[in-house]
Amino acid sequence: MYRLEAASDDIYMASRAVLEGDMSSAMGLLTRALDSWQRSSDQAKLKLYLAACYSFSGKDGLNQAGSLLTEAKRHDPFIVSSPLYGAMSALLAAYYQQKQEDTIIRILKLPDHNDPLAACIQLYALHLVKAYRVVLRYSAKLLKRCEMQPFYWRFLWWQAKAHQGLKHFDLAARDLEKAIELAPQLSLVELGLEHAQVLIKLGELSHALSRLEAIEQKLILDKTENSENDKYQRLLSAKAEARLGNASKALWLLKALEQEHFESELLHFELRLELARNARELMQPSQAKNYYQETLKLAKILLEPKEKFELNYEYHQLLLESGHPDDLLAAYNYLEELLSANDYEVDSPEPEYVGRIYLDFAKASYRLGQLSEAGYYAEAALEQGFVFEAALCLAQIAQDYYDLNLALDYYQMALSSTAREMPAYGLCHALIADTLVKQGYHHAERIFMHAEQGLECLAGHPLANIWQPLLSQYLLKAREQMSGATRLLN
């Protein structure tokens, strides 16, 4: 095995700094050491470890790492027997070729070793080619090694990333929570931000906000306000508030962030996307459309093909909602094209999109007055598990056919499928009250109860502007009917 010699102390300290998340210290230490140690073998080792540091800095860093690895081999050809060199070669092959099978074979062929940095680089290479199940197997193996114990948190972090790639967000949250308990102070902010992001995806919004508040306090104590991590913390807070239905608070946070400069293009993209979603939630379609068009331009260079599809789909959902005839027709044609594409048939590997397309095509058909087509696709979406929105669509169709009892059944189905704290819960109560009123005030107690719940749940939401006058009127009328009935009984 290749042994460290003269520069070993500097390398050991730099390796520890990398594993603890202190990249700037590690790079500074190695760069200074390059001036101190002139032997070819020392230069080779230092450049190898410097390449490892650069590899964690995105695409530019990986390109720099490739150059340093070549220089290291030129200084000392025997360095190729180092576990870290083998891991770095596998990582760079994964980056340049993006071949999953080749990367897995390269890593499985590497000799067994006890180098935690090399192990992390191997996990990184597997993650880069989306070999998430292999990451889980390899990290589980590393977590059983006592000599690796100080770096368990690093392996748990990679394990959490693999779970996210497989959309096992509950398992990712569990691993991140364990990693936070074991990690050094320097890495707590990044781990905490990733944990908050996963909690938002799980819908555990109060837990996410608690985590983000703790991160905010740490950023203040560390005097790193206005750093990229601070901006990301505020962006995630806005996301959590938006998903809790606090659209106005989310907008305030987002507008403050809009004035900031972002070094990260991806973070800038995420901000524009959240502004688009917020404008959509606040029923500002023209603003939302502008923001979405900005994000679609950025997406061309930042996102994977599947992510681009998802963003483009979201944009067409906005067109569907905008109410403008040209936008509606564009959305209808886009969805019709997707329905005819083989990639999104029922036996698709991603069936969640099948139901989504059925549902949105039902909405587009309904708005174009094609009720039978709308009903067919809404039923299909219901079968695919899109209960809330499909039931609302079917209720509207039933109302158009003057079948108010059937409409009430569908509204009740939608109500049963949504969480009490969400604005949709209040909307269902409002729609039930409205439908009962259309039948006459024969059930004044039910009208009163649903109107009251609707007003309470929609308070502070943009939908309240539409529903508050109507529901208040229904409450008064229902109260009169109930008082009249009581007097009659007396």
Side-chain angles (χ1 to χ4, degrees):
M1 186 181 286
Y2 190 87
R3 300 186 62 80
L4 302 178
E5 294 164 5
S8 58
D9 288 346
D10 288 330
I11 288 168
Y12 174 76
M13 289 168 66
S15 178
R16 294 282 302 200
V18 171
L19 287 161
E20 288 174 4
D22 191 357
M23 294 295 171
S24 58
S25 293
M27 290 172 89
L29 189 66
L30 291 166
T31 305
R32 288 192 298 274
L34 279 168
D35 295 330
S36 304
W37 305 102
Q38 297 302 319
R39 280 197 319 173
S40 289
S41 58
D42 290 334
Q43 288 281 307
K45 297 166 205 168
L46 291 165
K47 285 184 178 179
L48 171 60
Y49 277 82
L50 196 56
C53 290
Y54 272 110
S55 71
F56 291 102
S57 306
K59 290 181 180 179
D60 291 341
L62 282 161
N63 290 326
Q64 182 69 23
S67 303
L68 285 163
L69 205 66
T70 304
E71 288 177 34
K73 187 179 176 182
R74 192 175 68 246
H75 282 300
D76 183 0
F78 292 105
I79 203 165
V80 296
S81 61
S82 159
L84 184 58
Y85 187 94
M88 282 299 301
S89 295
L91 173 65
L92 290 166
Y95 169 60
Y96 288 120
Q97 296 167 17
Q98 293 289 317
K99 291 181 180 176
Q100 189 182 92
E101 192 176 339
D102 290 357
T103 302
I104 294 169
I105 291 167
R106 270 176 172 271
I107 286 171
L108 291 177
K109 281 184 176 178
L110 291 174
D112 200 21
H113 60 82
N114 292 320
D115 183 338
L117 181 55
C120 276
I121 297 287
Q122 284 170 244
L123 289 168
Y124 182 10
L126 291 165
H127 188 270
L128 207 60
V129 292
K130 299 182 173 63
Y132 302 127
R133 296 189 191 282
V134 186
V135 171
L136 293 175
R137 286 200 294 275
Y138 187 43
S139 59
K141 182 181 168 184
L142 292 167
L143 287 164
K144 289 176 183 173
R145 294 190 179 180
C146 296
E147 63 271 20
M148 297 281 198
Q149 197 166 358
F151 309 105
Y152 277 4
W153 67 275
R154 270 279 179 197
F155 306 142
L156 284 165
W157 197 349
W158 282 113
Q159 195 165 278
K161 287 179 186 295
H163 280 309
Q164 288 175 71
L166 294 167
K167 300 197 184 305
H168 301 158
F169 296 116
D170 53 338
L171 298 176
R174 179 203 66 187
D175 287 342
L176 286 165
E177 202 140 10
K178 285 183 191 171
I180 287 166
E181 289 171 13
L182 299 170
Q185 287 291 315
L186 275 169
S187 292
L188 288 180
V189 167
E190 282 185 52
L191 273 167
L193 288 169
E194 194 163 324
H195 187 220
Q197 184 183 34
V198 170
L199 290 171
I200 290 169
K201 285 178 180 172
L202 284 169
E204 296 181 24
L205 303 172
S206 300
H207 189 178
L209 283 169
S210 298
R211 173 68 71 195
L212 290 164
E213 283 167 17
I215 291 167
E216 184 181 16
Q217 292 306 311
K218 179 159 179 52
L219 288 165
I220 292 166
L221 285 171
D222 295 346
K223 297 181 180 176
T224 49
E225 307 101 300
N226 298 318
S227 63
E228 290 292 284
N229 280 337
D230 174 55
K231 290 166 195 169
Y232 190 40
Q233 178 268 328
R234 287 188 280 157
L235 177 58
L236 287 176
S237 296
K239 284 186 180 184
E241 293 291 358
R243 283 147 188 76
L244 275 169
N246 303 329
S248 299
K249 187 171 182 181
L251 179 63
W252 179 79
L253 287 164
L254 292 168
K255 284 294 182 185
L257 276 171
E258 201 176 9
Q259 309 307 313
E260 304 272 5
H261 170 71
F262 290 89
E263 290 175 22
S264 163
E265 279 188 331
L266 191 58
L267 204 55
H268 175 67
F269 164 81
E270 285 193 37
L271 171 63
R272 309 312 285 179
L273 179 55
E274 201 56 35
L275 280 161
R277 288 170 175 166
N278 186 265
R280 183 179 168 188
E281 180 68 20
L282 291 169
M283 298 178 188
Q284 299 165 346
S286 58
Q287 285 185 34
K289 193 173 176 180
N290 291 336
Y291 282 130
Y292 271 116
Q293 285 169 349
E294 281 183 57
T295 60
L296 284 165
K297 286 176 190 172
L298 291 166
K300 287 177 184 176
I301 53 168
L302 292 174
L303 300 188
E304 297 288 324
K306 183 174 181 289
E307 293 169 321
K308 286 180 197 171
F309 165 78
E310 288 171 348
L311 179 59
N312 195 27
Y313 191 89
E314 195 175 315
Y315 170 65
H316 281 87
Q317 283 182 311
L318 171 74
L319 297 183
L320 178 59
E321 294 163 6
S322 77
H324 193 281
D326 290 345
D327 288 347
L328 176 57
L329 198 58
Y332 180 88
N333 291 336
Y334 171 77
L335 291 162
E336 191 173 40
E337 192 178 320
L338 287 181
L339 280 170
S340 63
N342 293 328
D343 291 346
Y344 297 97
E345 287 180 356
V346 176
D347 60 350
S348 162
E350 294 174 289
E352 71 271 16
Y353 263 102
V354 179
R356 183 80 256 170
I357 292 165
Y358 286 163
L359 177 63
D360 289 331
F361 193 67
K363 289 180 184 177
S365 300
Y366 177 78
R367 283 164 197 176
L368 288 168
Q370 299 168 12
L371 298 188
S372 58
E373 187 175 63
Y376 174 82
Y377 282 103
E379 287 284 1
L382 195 62
E383 286 174 18
Q384 292 285 321
F386 285 79
V387 178
F388 173 73
E389 288 178 274
L392 284 187
C393 189
L394 287 163
Q396 288 169 332
I397 294 165
Q399 280 200 330
D400 284 1
Y401 283 124
Y402 302 104
D403 192 342
L404 298 181
N405 287 328
L406 182 59
L408 283 169
D409 289 343
Y410 280 126
Y411 284 138
Q412 195 62 52
M413 185 191 292
L415 179 66
S416 303
S417 71
T418 190
R420 189 179 183 86
E421 66 272 13
M422 301 305 287
Y425 188 79
L427 175 63
C428 287
H429 278 294
L431 289 164
I432 291 170
D434 187 59
T435 308
L436 287 166
V437 167
K438 284 173 182 167
Q439 288 183 321
Y441 280 83
H442 308 303
H443 304 285
E445 296 88 350
R446 283 182 69 195
I447 293 169
F448 186 89
M449 185 269 287
H450 287 295
E452 189 174 47
Q453 285 284 313
L455 280 170
E456 184 184 319
C457 297
L458 291 176
H461 191 272
L463 283 169
N465 299 331
I466 300 165
W467 281 103
Q468 189 173 12
L470 272 176
L471 293 176
S472 300
Q473 184 184 328
Y474 296 162
L475 270 176
L476 284 170
K477 183 76 172 171
R479 189 181 285 119
E480 284 173 16
Q481 292 286 325
M482 287 157 65
S483 300
T486 305
R487 283 196 302 274
L488 191 62
L489 283 170
N490 289 336

